[in-house]
């Protein structure tokens, strides 16, 4: 069974930095598209960053371009999201997910496996 466990969320001041981790079990990051998504109260889930490791391709949401970096440590089966210059509008629950057929891009509804999420709150 494929499982994801997110960690690293918390409270951070505007302009600060935070790194999220997603440890995977029963999954090889080399073979599928994986990504970070987020959802704030009352808002639709949105893509933050997606990566296809085997194709060396990444895709970022417009609101986080230049501020967030998605990366993989394949040897440890761990996905990371490095976040800097955080803004209050970044406040949300962040999820990692896998798209097993590799064709859904940034469409969250096409992703097949999800972690439980980790809360990120940006506030002064």
């Amino acid at each position: 069974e494929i499982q994801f466990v997110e960690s690293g969320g918390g409270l951070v001041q505007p302009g600060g930095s935070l790194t999220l981790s997603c440890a995977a079990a029963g999954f090889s990051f080399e073979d599928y598209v994986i990504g970070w998504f987020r959802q704030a109260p009352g808002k639709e889930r949105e893509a933050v960053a997606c990566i296809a490791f085997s194709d060396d391709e990444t895709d970022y949401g417009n609101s986080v371009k230049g501020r967030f970096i998605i990366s993989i440590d394949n040897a440890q089966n761990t996905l990371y999201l490095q976040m800097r210059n955080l803004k209050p509008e970044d406040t949300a629950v962040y999820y990692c997910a896998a798209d097993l057929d590799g064709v859904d891009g940034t469409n969250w509804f096409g992703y097949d496996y999800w972690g439980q999420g980790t809360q990120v709150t940006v506030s002064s």
Side-chain angles (χ1 to χ4, degrees):
E1 180 180 356
I2 295 174
Q3 295 182 327
F4 297 95
V5 179
E6 300 98 332
S7 61
L11 176 64
V12 64
Q13 296 180 357
S17 299
L18 203 62
T19 297
L20 306 182
S21 300
C22 175
F27 182 82
S28 175
F29 285 125
E30 294 181 337
D31 299 330
Y32 306 105
V33 175
I34 53 177
W36 288 97
F37 296 80
R38 67 186 183 187
Q39 188 165 21
K43 298 183 179 180
E44 182 155 3
R45 188 170 301 184
E46 63 176 340
V48 177
C50 299
I51 184 169
F53 180 81
S54 61
D55 296 327
D56 194 26
E57 295 180 353
T58 57
D59 191 15
Y60 292 90
N62 289 334
S63 64
V64 306
K65 288 181 179 178
R67 299 190 297 120
F68 292 9
I69 299 174
I70 187 171
S71 62
I72 295 171
D73 184 339
N74 196 56
Q76 297 187 18
N77 273 354
T78 302
L79 175 72
Y80 298 97
L81 183 67
Q82 301 175 66
M83 305 182 293
R84 66 176 180 85
N85 192 25
L86 284 160
K87 303 175 181 180
E89 55 262 41
D90 295 318
T91 296
V93 177
Y94 284 70
Y95 303 88
C96 64
D99 175 22
L100 270 61
D101 62 19
V103 301
D104 295 303
T106 58
N107 299 316
W108 68 266
F109 49 83
Y111 279 62
D112 304 286
Y113 296 96
W114 295 81
Q116 294 297 310
T118 184
Q119 177 72 47
V120 173
T121 302
V122 184
S123 177
S124 60

